[in-house]
Amino acid sequence: MNDAGGEKIDEHLRAADPDGKKLPKQQEHEQMHLDPSRWWFASSAFPMIAGTLGPVASAFSICALARPWRQNYLPGSDLDAAPFIRDPIWLTIINAIQLLIALIANMALLLNMTQRLRFSIAQPVTIVGWYISSICLISLTATASGPLIIEPTSQYIWSQAFYYGIYGAALYFLVASLMVITFLGAQTEHYPKDFVLTPSQRTLMMQTILLLFYLLLGALLFGRIEGWNYLDAVYWAAVTLFTVGFGDFSPQTGLGKGLVMPFALVGIISLGLVIGSIRSLVLDRGRRRLSARMVEKRRRRMLKQMTKKGKDGILVPIKEGEELRQTPSEVDRGLTEFERREKEFKLMRDIQKETSKKRRWYATAVSACTWAALWLGGARIFQACEEPYQGWTYFDGIFFCFVSLTTIGYGDIVPVSNAGKSFWVFWALLALPTMTVLISNAGDTVVKGVRDATDAIATITILPSERPFKKDLKRFLKHVSFGVLFKEEIIEETPTGILGEAQDRDNTSSDSEEENDAETALQRGQAESSNSSPTSPRVRFNPPFRNDDAHDKNIDDNTADENHPHGPGQHLRERKKRRKSAPFTLPNRQQDYLVILIDEVARVTAHLKEHPPRKYSFKEWAWYLRLIGEDESDAGQHGKASTHVRTKKDKFRGGRPNEGLDDRGEARVTEKVVPWSWVGSKSPLMGGKEEAEWILERLIERLGEELRRGRREGDDDQEGEGQRDEHEGRGGRHEL
């Protein structure tokens, strides 16, 4: 399988891990951008779709079994009063058997996803069961359209149950085929042979099952109360819960009117939860996966272009005494390694912004095309269903589908045929969630763009902001030019929109001076880190940073928590809120270093709650990398990015110490340190994790290593004291 640039990703990954061992969950997320999208669909999306549509197919099977498949209808008579013709007993028995088999297949899939039934047993049962149900329904509908036809044909029609059987057969075949692809992918070891449902996926599947059960049960209840045909009651329940309300069916009895209020209230809330879960899965999980893949492809394309044009010198680490090679401009000459890394970081940010905009518009275009296909295609089917009874034109179908999609539901034209009413239920289950996803995607592009444009115009006209007018004007021109003008202005991440993905940062001149001072101090601290420990920069704890005033203040801030008048923890919370820039130095004492780690873990944990997800500046990244043993000023830890993919045995970050200590009492580093680049495949900005999530995991991991090291040292000290006491005791006894 080839991917961007013609590289065979599968072969790289299999060569690196011939045993096919499962990666840790953390590394699986980090390598998300290396996994081709089609295998993600096969491993995650297809089982979720099958688990959701499988119960829908079973609901249609119930409808196909609920009533006979034929009705006696005289042209010009009331279609709703057409009497049913009893089906042969063999048709009913086969129909009931296929429904039972389908329910067993659904249960096997759910048990497999909850780890209660093995993959090797559950998947064959699910696939074979759904295929048997599909074949049975196809055979029955084919038989019904042949030998069961009664002459004259103009006086007999197929009931809604017949059409529900067709829809059920199509869905069974679809979900079974999806699971075949999933099964084959697992058998060929493209992903593990198990499915672990996330809470959102489990919620969606359970909500779908409960909603269908609620709809069918409500239809049975109201059909008995109002004297409706059961399948007409199913159509009414769907129209009610989808808030369309055509008005062709409505409760007429006092009991029915009294019960419809709680029934509709609970049903509409349940439907909203289902649509919300679909939106969350499609927009959130799909967005992260798609964005990771698009960033990876754009990264490789950009690297190839830079190499081809001879502008890849900025990607080469600058060792001590060297200068930047193949400099694109004179401005870049004389850069330090820290400054080069910052430019590399900004280059990666540009890639992210470009792909983010492309992904948003791509998602909007896909959802819009899907919505248009359901709108226009559904209109054609409704026209074919209703033309013999009401003489609908294609425009009537378009109008009817539009008022249904938008839940306007005028009720001036409604389906009266059995095919039309049954197809509306099937069509609405697909079209209305698609409409919700389209509105959400449009909110990230078109709607957000209109709102941004309105706000930008207001800030330079009738509602000026607190910023200087010149800055507001530059901001406005940058938005309307789609980032072409004033592209060098300092920006910060904001929610995305059509007119740009960022806004000017509201910094005062003093803030800028503080930022420059912070950069200078951070570079000085990085350089001191490299110079003081050139051979082993990744030890458990041997921080080679000097103590100065800034460091002393930093330590005082961290250790003052125990003396805070409001008790422990209060100072940490206040410091977390008020800090504007990262500290510059690390302490020499392990206890103080642990306090800093705990402080930063609490701060990053708070960042996880921010929406949109927080994106850190380069200086913040440099600080957090120092905390986990990285040095942005050390060229020996960095490498030039390439289009070659990272293999499974490569460590995402540098080497880790083992559980032993060397002769000096320091932690050994036995694993190979893999150089990395901000625009390389091992960059922390790649993969499927948010930046705060990535940093938090590394800080917690580092904190655990330090605590384990301290415990070992304490045990060694106690053992040494015990040996000395024992030796002194033996010496005393010898003297006696």
Short mmCIF file of all heavy atoms in Angstrom, two decimals, residues 95-117:
data_model
loop_
_atom_site.label_atom_id
_atom_site.label_comp_id
_atom_site.label_asym_id
_atom_site.label_seq_id
_atom_site.Cartn_x
_atom_site.Cartn_y
_atom_site.Cartn_z
N ASN A 95 -39.32 -15.27 7.69
CA ASN A 95 -39.11 -13.89 8.11
C ASN A 95 -38.76 -13.82 9.59
O ASN A 95 -37.87 -13.07 10.01
CB ASN A 95 -40.37 -13.07 7.81
CG ASN A 95 -40.08 -11.59 7.65
OD1 ASN A 95 -38.96 -11.13 7.89
ND2 ASN A 95 -41.08 -10.84 7.25
N ALA A 96 -39.43 -14.62 10.41
CA ALA A 96 -39.16 -14.63 11.85
C ALA A 96 -37.79 -15.23 12.14
O ALA A 96 -37.05 -14.75 13.02
CB ALA A 96 -40.25 -15.40 12.58
N ILE A 97 -37.40 -16.27 11.39
CA ILE A 97 -36.09 -16.90 11.61
C ILE A 97 -34.96 -15.93 11.28
O ILE A 97 -33.98 -15.82 12.03
CB ILE A 97 -35.98 -18.19 10.77
CG1 ILE A 97 -36.94 -19.26 11.31
CG2 ILE A 97 -34.55 -18.71 10.77
CD1 ILE A 97 -36.99 -20.53 10.47
N GLN A 98 -35.09 -15.21 10.16
CA GLN A 98 -34.02 -14.26 9.81
C GLN A 98 -33.91 -13.14 10.84
O GLN A 98 -32.82 -12.65 11.11
CB GLN A 98 -34.24 -13.70 8.39
CG GLN A 98 -35.45 -12.80 8.20
CD GLN A 98 -35.22 -11.36 8.63
OE1 GLN A 98 -34.08 -10.91 8.75
NE2 GLN A 98 -36.32 -10.65 8.87
N LEU A 99 -35.05 -12.73 11.42
CA LEU A 99 -34.99 -11.70 12.46
C LEU A 99 -34.26 -12.22 13.69
O LEU A 99 -33.43 -11.51 14.28
CB LEU A 99 -36.41 -11.27 12.83
CG LEU A 99 -36.52 -10.27 14.00
CD1 LEU A 99 -35.76 -8.99 13.69
CD2 LEU A 99 -37.99 -9.97 14.30
N LEU A 100 -34.52 -13.47 14.08
CA LEU A 100 -33.83 -14.05 15.23
C LEU A 100 -32.33 -14.16 14.97
O LEU A 100 -31.51 -13.84 15.84
CB LEU A 100 -34.42 -15.43 15.53
CG LEU A 100 -33.78 -16.20 16.69
CD1 LEU A 100 -33.93 -15.43 18.00
CD2 LEU A 100 -34.39 -17.59 16.81
N ILE A 101 -31.96 -14.59 13.78
CA ILE A 101 -30.53 -14.70 13.43
C ILE A 101 -29.86 -13.32 13.46
O ILE A 101 -28.73 -13.17 13.94
CB ILE A 101 -30.38 -15.35 12.05
CG1 ILE A 101 -30.84 -16.81 12.09
CG2 ILE A 101 -28.93 -15.28 11.57
CD1 ILE A 101 -30.85 -17.49 10.73
N ALA A 102 -30.56 -12.30 12.95
CA ALA A 102 -29.99 -10.94 12.95
C ALA A 102 -29.78 -10.42 14.37
O ALA A 102 -28.78 -9.76 14.66
CB ALA A 102 -30.90 -10.01 12.17
N LEU A 103 -30.73 -10.72 15.26
CA LEU A 103 -30.57 -10.28 16.64
C LEU A 103 -29.38 -10.96 17.31
O LEU A 103 -28.64 -10.34 18.08
CB LEU A 103 -31.86 -10.57 17.42
CG LEU A 103 -33.09 -9.76 17.00
CD1 LEU A 103 -34.32 -10.21 17.79
CD2 LEU A 103 -32.86 -8.26 17.19
N ILE A 104 -29.16 -12.25 17.01
CA ILE A 104 -27.99 -12.95 17.54
C ILE A 104 -26.70 -12.34 17.00
O ILE A 104 -25.71 -12.17 17.74
CB ILE A 104 -28.08 -14.45 17.19
CG1 ILE A 104 -29.27 -15.10 17.91
CG2 ILE A 104 -26.78 -15.16 17.56
CD1 ILE A 104 -29.50 -16.55 17.52
N ALA A 105 -26.69 -11.98 15.71
CA ALA A 105 -25.51 -11.35 15.12
C ALA A 105 -25.22 -10.01 15.77
O ALA A 105 -24.06 -9.67 16.06
CB ALA A 105 -25.71 -11.18 13.62
N ASN A 106 -26.27 -9.22 16.02
CA ASN A 106 -26.09 -7.93 16.71
C ASN A 106 -25.51 -8.13 18.10
O ASN A 106 -24.60 -7.40 18.53
CB ASN A 106 -27.43 -7.20 16.80
CG ASN A 106 -27.78 -6.45 15.54
OD1 ASN A 106 -26.98 -5.66 15.03
ND2 ASN A 106 -28.95 -6.69 15.00
N MET A 107 -26.04 -9.11 18.82
CA MET A 107 -25.56 -9.35 20.18
C MET A 107 -24.11 -9.81 20.18
O MET A 107 -23.32 -9.41 21.04
CB MET A 107 -26.45 -10.40 20.85
CG MET A 107 -26.14 -10.62 22.31
SD MET A 107 -26.31 -9.10 23.30
CE MET A 107 -28.07 -8.80 23.09
N ALA A 108 -23.73 -10.65 19.20
CA ALA A 108 -22.34 -11.11 19.13
C ALA A 108 -21.38 -9.95 18.91
O ALA A 108 -20.30 -9.89 19.51
CB ALA A 108 -22.20 -12.14 18.01
N LEU A 109 -21.76 -9.01 18.04
CA LEU A 109 -20.90 -7.85 17.79
C LEU A 109 -20.75 -7.00 19.05
O LEU A 109 -19.64 -6.57 19.39
CB LEU A 109 -21.47 -7.01 16.65
CG LEU A 109 -20.68 -5.74 16.31
CD1 LEU A 109 -19.28 -6.08 15.83
CD2 LEU A 109 -21.41 -4.91 15.25
N LEU A 110 -21.85 -6.76 19.76
CA LEU A 110 -21.78 -5.95 20.97
C LEU A 110 -20.94 -6.65 22.05
O LEU A 110 -20.16 -6.00 22.76
CB LEU A 110 -23.19 -5.68 21.49
CG LEU A 110 -24.07 -4.78 20.61
CD1 LEU A 110 -25.46 -4.64 21.23
CD2 LEU A 110 -23.43 -3.41 20.43
N LEU A 111 -21.09 -7.97 22.18
CA LEU A 111 -20.29 -8.70 23.17
C LEU A 111 -18.82 -8.66 22.82
O LEU A 111 -17.95 -8.60 23.70
CB LEU A 111 -20.79 -10.14 23.27
CG LEU A 111 -22.16 -10.34 23.90
CD1 LEU A 111 -22.55 -11.81 23.86
CD2 LEU A 111 -22.19 -9.82 25.34
N ASN A 112 -18.50 -8.71 21.53
CA ASN A 112 -17.10 -8.62 21.12
C ASN A 112 -16.52 -7.25 21.42
O ASN A 112 -15.38 -7.12 21.87
CB ASN A 112 -16.99 -8.94 19.64
CG ASN A 112 -15.57 -8.82 19.11
OD1 ASN A 112 -15.34 -8.31 18.03
ND2 ASN A 112 -14.61 -9.29 19.87
N MET A 113 -17.30 -6.21 21.19
CA MET A 113 -16.82 -4.85 21.43
C MET A 113 -16.63 -4.57 22.92
O MET A 113 -15.82 -3.72 23.29
CB MET A 113 -17.78 -3.84 20.82
CG MET A 113 -17.77 -3.81 19.31
SD MET A 113 -18.86 -2.53 18.64
CE MET A 113 -18.38 -2.56 16.91
N THR A 114 -17.36 -5.26 23.76
CA THR A 114 -17.20 -5.09 25.21
C THR A 114 -16.28 -6.14 25.81
O THR A 114 -16.25 -6.32 27.03
CB THR A 114 -18.58 -5.15 25.89
OG1 THR A 114 -19.22 -6.39 25.53
CG2 THR A 114 -19.45 -3.99 25.48
N GLN A 115 -15.52 -6.86 24.95
CA GLN A 115 -14.51 -7.83 25.39
C GLN A 115 -15.12 -9.00 26.15
O GLN A 115 -14.47 -9.61 27.00
CB GLN A 115 -13.47 -7.13 26.27
CG GLN A 115 -12.79 -5.94 25.62
CD GLN A 115 -11.97 -6.33 24.41
OE1 GLN A 115 -11.08 -7.15 24.51
NE2 GLN A 115 -12.30 -5.77 23.27
N ARG A 116 -16.37 -9.35 25.86
CA ARG A 116 -17.02 -10.49 26.51
C ARG A 116 -17.09 -11.71 25.60
O ARG A 116 -17.52 -12.78 26.04
CB ARG A 116 -18.42 -10.11 26.97
CG ARG A 116 -18.43 -9.00 28.02
CD ARG A 116 -19.85 -8.63 28.42
NE ARG A 116 -19.85 -7.52 29.36
CZ ARG A 116 -19.75 -7.65 30.67
NH1 ARG A 116 -19.65 -8.87 31.20
NH2 ARG A 116 -19.76 -6.61 31.46
N LEU A 117 -16.71 -11.55 24.34
CA LEU A 117 -16.70 -12.65 23.39
C LEU A 117 -15.50 -12.47 22.47
O LEU A 117 -15.24 -11.36 22.00
CB LEU A 117 -18.00 -12.67 22.57
CG LEU A 117 -18.26 -13.91 21.71
CD1 LEU A 117 -18.37 -15.15 22.59
CD2 LEU A 117 -19.52 -13.73 20.88
#
